[in-house]
Amino acid sequence: MQLVRVGLCAFGMSGKVFHAPFLKQHPGFFLSAIVERSKEESKLQYPDAVIYHSVEEMLQNADIDLVVVNTPVQTHFEYTKMILEAGKNVIVEKPFTVNVEEAEELVRIAESKKLFLSVYQNRRFDRDYLQVQKIISERKLGAIKEVEIRFDRFRIEPSAKEHKENPELNGSGAVHDLGSHLVDQATQLFGFPEKTFADIFSMKGQNYANDYFEILLYYKNDVRVRLKSSAFTKEDHFAYKIHGDKGSFLQERSDNQENELVAGAIPFYGKDWVKPLAESDGILNYSDENSESKRVTTLSEQGNYMNYYQQIYEHIVFGYALPSLGSEVVQNMKIIEAAIESSRKGKVIDLN
């Protein structure tokens, strides 16, 4: 099996939970280098990885083929550009960069050097999103007319991370963080919209980055997709509401991979590692081919973030399609930028 040597740019929550465990368990990857500026926390779990104290030092000394940029978003452009110019392939954490201009430049550099650049959109592999994708593909709902996708939390206390909470920093706040997932799912399901209107602000107050947003996407044939997030939501809503001319589907946000990984779960390669659900997590109400109304509860199948790294590996070894390539995610960032402009100006923004 061809071995891909990987360097990890940070060993914070993202590195510990979303990247290192999967790179360790996948037989096609070898996590050979980890950047820890002042600590050596990775040594116990990843003793074969060499610890470096800066990204620059890792690039100069480590034998690596692929680098994961999982540092604060305000540093993504600088580090990704440096890594591409060093001739390495890159996976960069969402939300890619702080603006479209930076993202487009990175895509141009990667293409000029014939390197790949993928954005880590792990929520494409959540069980709830995969179930929504499945239900829509079955066409039981008929022509889709209205959609709402939510990602709510109850986090009324400010984060200690300045890069997420400082409203003066480009890329801080929920619309870049959780919004990048919701916009990505909307474009994966329905394509690029024609226009957008948004309301974005901070419920915690103007001294903090935005923690609430509502983004309305206008599609052809009068289809509306609403993306919403609030940090002041103690009681869960249905995360997905899809309404068509033949029925409706309601889906809970039921994927628990992040919680299980934080608790120490091992994401075994080649098999499901997530605990199965004990009860249904969706409701499907539709009219069948005989125009008879049917209302059933549904149970989503397990998601698996390992599939992202499997697709990366298959791209490297077999030339298969690259998951969430940079040029694709640039389009998502155009929506986020337009939504911010819409909220600031209080008007609908034409995306064409």
Side-chain angles (χ1 to χ4, degrees):
M1 195 173 203
Q2 181 177 329
L3 198 62
V4 179
R5 302 174 70 87
V6 185
L8 190 61
C9 283
F11 198 65
M13 189 268 195
S14 170
K16 293 174 183 176
V17 171
F18 294 116
H19 297 290
F22 295 92
L23 292 167
K24 181 179 181 180
Q25 294 299 320
H26 194 295
F29 293 103
F30 175 56
L31 182 54
S32 60
I34 297 175
V35 175
E36 292 195 71
R37 296 189 179 278
S38 58
K39 302 177 181 179
E40 294 189 349
E41 293 182 338
S42 63
K43 186 174 287 186
L44 182 62
Q45 287 180 285
Y46 308 96
D48 295 328
V50 178
I51 296 174
Y52 295 96
H53 299 297
S54 70
V55 175
E56 294 86 346
E57 182 188 7
M58 179 178 68
L59 285 177
Q60 290 169 6
N61 297 284
D63 178 16
I64 48 180
D65 311 297
L66 169 65
V67 180
V68 179
V69 178
N70 60 321
T71 53
V73 63
Q74 291 82 8
T75 67
H76 284 187
F77 175 74
E78 174 191 354
Y79 287 147
T80 303
K81 183 177 180 180
M82 181 191 309
I83 293 161
L84 289 170
E85 290 179 340
K88 312 296 182 185
N89 295 305
V90 179
I91 292 170
V92 60
E93 267 282 1
K94 59 81 194 169
F96 199 176
T97 59
V98 299
N99 59 51
V100 172
E101 183 180 359
E102 290 183 349
E104 289 178 331
E105 182 175 344
L106 294 178
V107 169
R108 286 194 297 268
I109 294 171
E111 290 175 349
S112 69
K113 292 186 171 292
K114 294 181 170 48
L115 298 167
F116 76 72
L117 174 57
S118 173
V119 181
Y120 183 67
Q121 291 286 357
N122 62 309
R123 299 291 176 181
R124 294 185 187 185
F125 302 91
D126 279 355
R127 67 184 306 147
D128 35 64
Y129 168 70
L130 292 171
Q131 178 73 350
V132 168
Q133 196 176 47
K134 175 176 176 288
I135 293 293
I136 290 175
S137 70
E138 291 174 348
R139 302 185 181 277
K140 290 178 180 177
L141 305 180
I144 304 300
K145 295 296 183 180
E146 181 190 2
V147 175
E148 179 175 295
I149 307 176
R150 303 184 65 120
F151 202 138
D152 297 310
R153 288 171 171 169
F154 189 67
R155 294 184 179 178
I156 62 175
E157 297 299 327
S159 166
K161 297 176 180 179
E162 186 180 11
H163 69 273
K164 289 191 173 185
E165 287 289 4
N166 187 344
E168 301 300 319
L169 292 178
N170 289 335
S172 64
V175 73
H176 274 84
D177 184 19
L178 297 178
S180 65
H181 289 308
L182 301 191
V183 169
D184 184 69
Q185 293 186 352
T187 56
Q188 287 293 296
L189 292 170
F190 307 109
F192 195 74
E194 295 184 317
K195 296 179 291 185
T196 187
F197 181 76
D199 179 26
I200 302 168
F201 72 104
S202 174
M203 287 184 167
K204 290 193 290 291
Q206 62 183 5
N207 293 329
Y208 302 99
N210 63 80
D211 57 15
Y212 170 93
F213 64 80
E214 184 168 2
I215 301 171
L216 184 61
L217 304 178
Y218 299 76
Y219 284 86
K220 293 179 180 179
N221 302 320
D222 295 327
V223 177
R224 297 289 186 269
V225 176
R226 179 176 283 103
L227 312 177
K228 191 169 182 179
S229 178
S230 169
F232 283 74
T233 307
K234 196 171 180 66
E235 186 70 26
D236 287 339
H237 301 266
F238 281 104
Y240 303 85
K241 300 177 184 178
I242 298 92
H243 304 290
D245 61 7
K246 291 185 179 180
S248 296
F249 179 61
L250 308 179
Q251 172 65 46
E252 297 174 14
R253 187 167 298 284
S254 55
D255 193 276
N256 204 38
Q257 290 180 80
E258 180 176 344
N259 293 333
E260 293 197 30
L261 289 164
V262 169
I266 298 174
F268 295 111
Y269 173 77
K271 61 179 179 179
D272 292 328
W273 55 274
V274 182
K275 296 175 184 176
L277 293 180
E279 54 188 28
S280 63
D281 58 343
I283 299 171
L284 175 62
N285 191 334
Y286 70 104
S287 298
D288 65 13
E289 61 273 11
N290 299 316
S291 298
E292 294 183 8
S293 182
K294 293 184 179 295
R295 187 181 188 276
V296 296
T297 57
T298 57
L299 182 67
S300 60
E301 297 180 3
Q302 291 165 304
N304 194 342
Y305 298 155
M306 183 66 82
N307 290 336
Y308 171 83
Y309 271 111
Q310 177 63 19
Q311 289 181 19
I312 289 289
Y313 186 77
E314 290 174 350
H315 173 75
I316 294 171
V317 177
F318 305 115
Y320 292 173
L322 182 69
S324 51
L325 61 165
S327 57
E328 175 186 319
V329 180
V330 167
Q331 298 299 103
N332 297 345
M333 295 188 63
K334 289 179 180 179
I335 297 172
I336 290 174
E337 279 199 2
I340 293 171
E341 180 186 359
S342 170
S343 182
R344 185 175 68 250
K345 295 181 177 180
K347 69 175 188 177
V348 174
I349 302 297
D350 193 324
L351 289 163
N352 296 316

